[in-house]
Amino acid sequence: MSDFVLSANSTVDLPKEWLDQNGINILPLSYTIDGETFQDYDEKLSSKDFFDRLRAGSTSITTQMNPEQAREGIEPLLQAGKDVLHLSFSSALSGTYNSLRLATEELKEEYPDRKIILIDTLSASIGEGMLVQKALELKKAGKSLEEVAAWVEENKLHVCHYFTVDDLHHLQRGGRVSKATAVIGTALQVKPILHMSDEGKLEKVGKERGRKKSLAKIVNMLAESSKGWDNDVISVIHGDCIEDAEYVASLVKEKMSDSKVEIYSVGSVIGSHTGPGLIAIFGMGEKR
């Protein structure tokens, strides 16, 4: 059985140390803020500094990966005699998946003895990350590339994403809510509740008046969706608002006492669209 490498986009938002320790190949996406271009996991601009710039009024523009960059990220693995399973950022949120598809089609022709499987996770952030974590578990358990890929395909739509933001204007700039909704909602302290659809799109599924009610709502929604599923770990991610993340973690422990809670910080590419104050919660469930 040929050895294979797990690969993913930087939008998985998992800690860089964990990714490095477990040999996960990361293909980074880029963003430009205040005239400077960076990549996710770029140590030149810390997460705190990034969100402080957004709070001060700066705008961050993200850039999808092009086919040449996708090729550069995967070809060295093939040259080293490795097969590749790449779990991609949702195709509904970025053209990155299509760039990867074009690159992998070329590489399959040029390296006919190597296997490359590309999966559109239809997920984002730790939703992608959970699939990477599970794929690694299966790989370590001795499962083949094809077996791991099959599990991801069969279960990717069971990864539930629920989130809310503190400032609607970042979502408005990305076309997720209208300008009128952003202005009125901000004035009235109305917080949107969003989730990831089966098509890999961000969809508004509700709203709450006030921050704490919105945080409780996303916990309740995940608790309902995850009934009957064994969730050893529930993941919470935040955009430079650790206190809110810890509050959500405490609610999870009350609602889903059998689950451990892990807290992460959102990456700058995802954070460019959500802004500071993002809180998202992830777990496995019957329906998104």
Side-chain angles (χ1 to χ4, degrees), residues 10-204:
S10 59
T11 46
V12 293
D13 287 346
L14 291 168
K16 186 176 187 301
E17 296 77 11
W18 184 91
L19 294 165
D20 290 343
Q21 289 169 5
N22 288 285
I24 309 299
N25 182 57
I26 290 296
L27 277 61
L29 275 68
S30 303
Y31 63 97
T32 300
I33 186 169
D34 297 330
E36 296 181 275
T37 298
F38 304 91
Q39 292 181 333
D40 264 335
Y41 300 112
D42 196 329
E43 296 178 356
K44 296 176 184 177
L45 184 65
S46 71
S47 176
K48 177 65 176 174
D49 289 342
F50 170 76
F51 283 112
D52 282 346
R53 289 193 190 190
L54 292 186
R55 288 189 178 99
S58 296
T59 298
S60 178
I61 305 298
T62 59
T63 305
Q64 69 183 49
M65 178 171 291
N66 63 43
E68 182 179 351
Q69 292 169 327
R71 182 187 179 98
E72 290 172 353
I74 293 176
E75 187 172 20
L77 304 175
L78 307 177
Q79 292 173 335
K82 305 291 187 181
D83 294 333
V84 179
L85 172 58
H86 185 88
L87 307 186
S88 174
F89 185 33
S90 174
S91 62
L93 298 179
S94 171
T96 293
Y97 171 77
N98 192 50
S99 293
L100 282 158
R101 182 183 59 80
L102 294 172
T104 54
E105 285 176 359
E106 288 184 356
L107 290 169
K108 285 177 182 178
E109 292 182 2
E110 296 174 27
Y111 295 85
D113 294 333
R114 299 269 57 86
K115 297 176 183 176
I116 313 171
I117 297 180
L118 170 65
I119 294 179
D120 180 0
T121 67
L122 301 173
S123 297
S125 188
I126 295 298
E128 289 175 81
M130 287 176 60
L131 293 172
V132 170
Q133 290 171 326
K134 183 60 180 179
L136 180 65
E137 288 179 20
L138 295 171
K139 181 176 184 288
K140 288 182 174 180
K143 300 297 183 183
S144 68
L145 182 154
E146 291 83 0
E147 289 172 319
V148 176
W151 186 93
V152 174
E153 283 287 6
E154 290 168 7
N155 289 276
K156 65 186 184 182
L157 294 184
H158 292 299
V159 180
C160 303
H161 313 49
Y162 296 105
F163 71 100
T164 188
V165 296
D166 203 31
D167 183 347
L168 288 165
H169 292 292
H170 295 280
L171 287 176
Q172 180 262 317
R173 280 197 291 267
R176 305 303 173 191
V177 299
S178 69
K179 186 173 183 179
T181 296
V183 171
I184 296 171
T186 299
L188 297 178
Q189 284 295 296
V190 173
K191 310 299 181 183
I193 307 297
L194 302 100
H195 84 139
M196 184 74 77
S197 72
D198 284 353
E199 292 74 35
K201 300 176 181 178
L202 302 182
E203 290 185 345
K204 184 178 174 183

